[in-house]
């Protein structure tokens, strides 16, 4: 069956069309700069090296998605839109409502709308994508797949903050966690690779991209995760600070007269690697560090140390760990960061091989020594494929 995966942002739509169950990508592309004078529809077809680019004004998401559908037809990827069995939508925040993917109906739309205060930057765009997809491709089943859903298995002691209880009951203040689709995907890949059923597998999964999060997985289920009520908590990220003392807000308000909004913006956009050394892209941080730049060297140390602390904490939470999994742009490519995170943890049974990583099946790399009790793996993530598979499972009434 053909499943289209959509990831809608405020001025962009990314898409990928899969043939399932094989998992082949038939085409992928994106619409950028929606609402601007020169919008762009770009897509590629397997076997064609250069992408097709089409520049013209695209007024809104409805026009953008109509353009994507026209591109699917023109390129011959589908002969008729009725071939699209389903459209899987990435939705950032599912709150406590959604533990798994769900077919979209009016009630689901109302509940996703109700979640907007929790994810004001993401859910409105995700919702707009769903609403225009219903208009543009009414024959396809629409399925919502939530970034938060995988973490709904957290026990209360992991998701409660030590705040007045009424903040949870009245305002839904709690840990939700994000990147769930990626953590779930690499956990399933790890289970296949290690030849152990997912429901018997304990993992520490580290998704290190522009955003970054760590997840403790017991018997295949998320039992703790570093991002919190918002994606700001936890690890050091490209521009986000991760864990800090919450009293810094009021201190900055007093000594610099910064408003809550200004502090918020600083913590989300001007902190993390960027705050420490001026660059949020890890490759640039390495270039500076290689040239001896002190602030870049410090940024790497802070980043690696935070990761190591989370590995230790999640080891304590899990008791037994089968494997540590690195994924995301940094996790998949940056051997220096992986070494910083895992070095000195031999007492926990984590032994990294001095030899180069050993390639294994499915583009997986093994970093551990053969005799290491804890395996250390690099597993490329594929959130779009996971959304497509969960969408297929949902419309086939299989549990994702
Ligand atoms: P996103 O979270 O936006 O999906 P990615 O998963 O693509 O982001 O990760 C982006 C990060 O990965 C950037 O910091 C980038 O510098 C880093 N990265 C990509 N390739 C490499 C590499 N070869 N070495 C080190 N870092 C890399």
């Amino acid at each position: 069956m053909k499943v289209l995966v959509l990831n809608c942002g405020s001025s962009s739509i990314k898409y990928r069309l899969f043939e399932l169950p094989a998992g082949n990508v038939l085409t992928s592309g994106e619409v950028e700069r929606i609402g601007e004078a020169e919008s762009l529809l770009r897509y590629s077809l397997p076997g064609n090296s250069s992408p097709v680019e089409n520049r013209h004004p695209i007024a809104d998401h409805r026009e953008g998605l109509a353009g994507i559908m026209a591109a699917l037809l023109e390129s011959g990827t589908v002969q008729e839109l009725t071939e699209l069995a389903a459209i899987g939508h990435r939705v950032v925040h599912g709150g406590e409502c959604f533990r798994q993917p769900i077919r979209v109906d009016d009630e689901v739309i109302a509940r996703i709308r109700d979640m907007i205060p929790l994810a004001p930057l993401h859910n409105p765009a995700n919702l707009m994508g769903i609403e225009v997809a219903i208009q543009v491709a009414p024959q396809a089943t629409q399925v919502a797949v939530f970034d938060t859903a995988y973490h709904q298995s957290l026990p209360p002691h992991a998701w409660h903050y030590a705040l007045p209880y009424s903040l949870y009951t009245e305002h839904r203040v709690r840990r939700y966690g994000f990147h769930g689709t990626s953590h779930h995907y690499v956990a399933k890949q790890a289970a296949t690779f290690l030849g152990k059923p997912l429901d018997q597998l304990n993992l520490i999964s580290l998704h290190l991209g522009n955003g970054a999060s760590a997840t403790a997985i017991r018997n295949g289920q998320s039992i703790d995760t570093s991002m919190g009520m918002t994606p700001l908590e936890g690890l050091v990220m490209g521009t986000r600070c991760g864990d800090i003392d919450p009293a810094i807000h009021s201190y900055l308000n007093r000594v610099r007269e910064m408003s809550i909004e200004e502090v918020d913006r600083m913590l989300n956009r001007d902190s993390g690697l960027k705050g420490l050394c001026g660059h949020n892209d890890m490759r640039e941080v390495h270039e500076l560090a290689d040239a001896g730049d002190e602030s870049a060297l410090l940024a790497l140390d802070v980043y690696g140390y935070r990761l190591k602390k989370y590995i230790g904490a999640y080891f304590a939470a899990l008791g037994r760990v089968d494997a540590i999994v690195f994924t995301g742009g940094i996790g998949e490519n940056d051997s220096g960061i992986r070494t910083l995170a895992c070095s000195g943890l031999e007492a926990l049974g984590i032994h990294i091989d001095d030899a180069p990583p050993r390639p294994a099946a499915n583009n997986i790399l093994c970093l551990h020594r053969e005799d290491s009790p804890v395996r250390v793996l690099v597993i490329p993530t594929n959130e779009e494929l996971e959304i497509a598979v969960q969408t297929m499972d949902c419309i086939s009434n299989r549990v994702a």
Side-chain angles (χ1 to χ4, degrees), residues 179 207-211 273 280-284 286 328-330 333-334 383:
H179 288 150
H207 177 111
L208 311 178
N210 285 313
L273 294 172
N280 61 292
D281 189 298
M282 188 55 101
R283 286 165 292 200
E284 291 173 19
H286 277 293
I330 296 169
N333 295 296
D334 194 329
E383 289 166 278

Side-chain angles (χ1 to χ4, degrees), residues 45 140 206:
L45 299 166
L206 303 167

Side-chain angles (χ1 to χ4, degrees), residues 10 15 19 27 66 75 87 97 112 124 127 152 155 166 178 205 240 261 275 310 327 337 378 390:
S10 54
Y15 70 97
E19 178 68 50
T27 179
S75 63
I87 300 182
C97 285
I112 296 173
L127 195 56
Q152 279 298 298
S166 59
F178 299 87
S205 162
R240 294 183 214 136
E261 289 74 22
Y310 267 92
T327 194
I337 288 295
V378 176
Q390 292 194 17

Side-chain angles (χ1 to χ4, degrees), residues 181-192:
T181 315
S182 175
H183 289 295
H184 197 178
Y185 175 79
V186 296
K188 289 198 260 186
Q189 292 290 107
T192 307

